[in-house]
């Protein structure tokens, strides 16, 4: 038994605490640094961008603009079929890229299979003419075209053309020999091989029309707008195109013997040398000719 030393003198110092004294270490429970009672160390999260962020995540807001531009371009080049196919491909691409880091392989395969199937359906629709691939026309052209209108006689066709109908229309089998079209609006018309012998279309609008191989001997197109029209191989002897606008037109291989182009605008015209030499009044644009170009 340890003998009790008795009470300490008043001026005596308190006993020195050792490192093993729980009170001295600040751990009243007597827990060691590596014991089960030690509180877990919490590493603070770093605020801001997650470390797994991909380089293109910061520009995802641009994707809707890219998709809209793609659809607009497809509509101009390939019509409804182009818009449908481009839309399916764009949606599938966005889903695969955005969700590529989280989707499992079966999901990715399913997205690819569905998008491929939808594009296949669109292709079948194009083959069956349900989805046309013709470029979207301007509002003015669409308003003037009546694709379902089928004239029962040449007189009815002339009446329709005089009313302003004809932009973008199919006139490849039309025979307008000697007819007078006072309000010709044939912009973008499909009229290759049309017969316009001695026809009168003064002041008409035929910009971008396909008149390749047309029979147009003696046709009158005074002050007409033929910008970008295709007249390749057309038969145009003694045609009257005074003060017309032929800027950018294609006259390659056309027979222009004795044709009168006095005052016509012919900048950018594609033409053979012999054909140009057969023209009367070549390359002398007038104010009326410039006016015909709009």
């Amino acid at each position: 038994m340890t003998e009790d030393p008795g009470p300490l003198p008043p001026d005596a110092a308190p006993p020195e605490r050792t490192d093993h004294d729980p009170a001295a270490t600040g751990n009243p429970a007597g827990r060691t640094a590596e014991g089960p009672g030690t509180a877990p160390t919490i590493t603070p999260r770093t605020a801001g961008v997650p470390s797994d962020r991909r380089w293109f995540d910061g520009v995802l807001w641009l994707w809707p603009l890219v998709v809209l531009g793609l659809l607009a371009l497809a509509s101009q080049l390939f019509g409804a079929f182009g818009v449908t196919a481009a839309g399916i491909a764009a949606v599938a691409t966005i889903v695969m890229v955005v969700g590529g880091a989280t989707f499992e392989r079966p999901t990715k395969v399913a997205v690819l299979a569905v998008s491929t199937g939808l594009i296949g359906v669109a292709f079948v629709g194009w083959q069956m003419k349900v989805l046309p691939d013709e470029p979207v026309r301007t509002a003015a052209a669409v308003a003037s075209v009546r694709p379902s209108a089928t004239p029962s006689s040449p007189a009815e066709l002339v009446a329709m053309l005089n009313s302003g109908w004809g932009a973008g229309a199919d006139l490849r089998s039309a025979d307008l020999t000697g007819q007078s079209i006072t309000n010709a609006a044939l912009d973008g018309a499909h009229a290759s091989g049309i017969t316009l012998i001695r026809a009168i279309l003064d002041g008409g609008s035929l910009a971008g029309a396909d008149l390749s191989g047309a029979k147009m001997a003696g046709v009158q197109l005074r002050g007409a707008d033929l910008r970008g029209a295709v007249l390749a191989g057309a038969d145009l002897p003694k045609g009257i195109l005074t003060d017309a606008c032929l800027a950018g037109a294609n006259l390659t291989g056309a027979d222009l013997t004795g044709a009168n182009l006095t005052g016509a605008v012919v900048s950018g015209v594609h033409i053979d040398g012999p054909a140009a030499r057969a023209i009367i009044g070549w390359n002398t644009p007038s104010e009326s000719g410039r006016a015909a170009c709009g």
Side-chain angles (χ1 to χ4, degrees), residues 51-75:
S51 60
D52 59 347
R53 178 173 177 173
R54 296 164 297 181
W55 66 268
F56 51 79
D57 288 342
V59 294
L60 292 181
W61 62 273
L62 288 173
W63 287 27
L65 300 178
V66 173
V67 173
L68 288 176
L70 177 64
L71 296 181
L73 178 62
S75 69

Side-chain angles (χ1 to χ4, degrees), residues 122-163:
F123 181 78
V124 172
W126 169 65
Q127 290 287 339
M128 298 178 65
K129 307 300 182 183
V130 176
L131 291 174
D133 61 352
E134 295 182 357
V136 177
R137 299 191 183 100
T138 61
V142 171
S144 62
V145 174
R146 299 175 181 83
S148 60
T150 304
S152 59
S153 65
E156 184 179 351
L157 174 58
V158 171
M160 293 170 63
L161 293 174
N162 279 326
S163 68

Side-chain angles (χ1 to χ4, degrees), residues 8-13:
L8 295 173
D11 56 348

Side-chain angles (χ1 to χ4, degrees), residues 69-90:
L70 177 64
L71 296 181
L73 178 62
S75 69
Q76 293 297 323
L77 296 178
F78 306 107
F81 169 71
V83 172
T84 304
I88 296 170

Side-chain angles (χ1 to χ4, degrees), residues 177-202:
T177 300
Q179 299 294 336
S180 178
I181 314 299
T182 58
N183 190 27
L186 302 173
D187 301 279
H190 305 280
S192 57
I194 190 174
T195 301
L196 291 169
I197 297 173
R198 298 185 304 278
I200 301 173
L201 293 90
D202 292 339

Side-chain angles (χ1 to χ4, degrees), residues 81 88 114-126:
F81 169 71
I88 296 170
V114 170
S115 59
T116 303
L118 290 176
I119 291 178
V121 171
F123 181 78
V124 172
W126 169 65

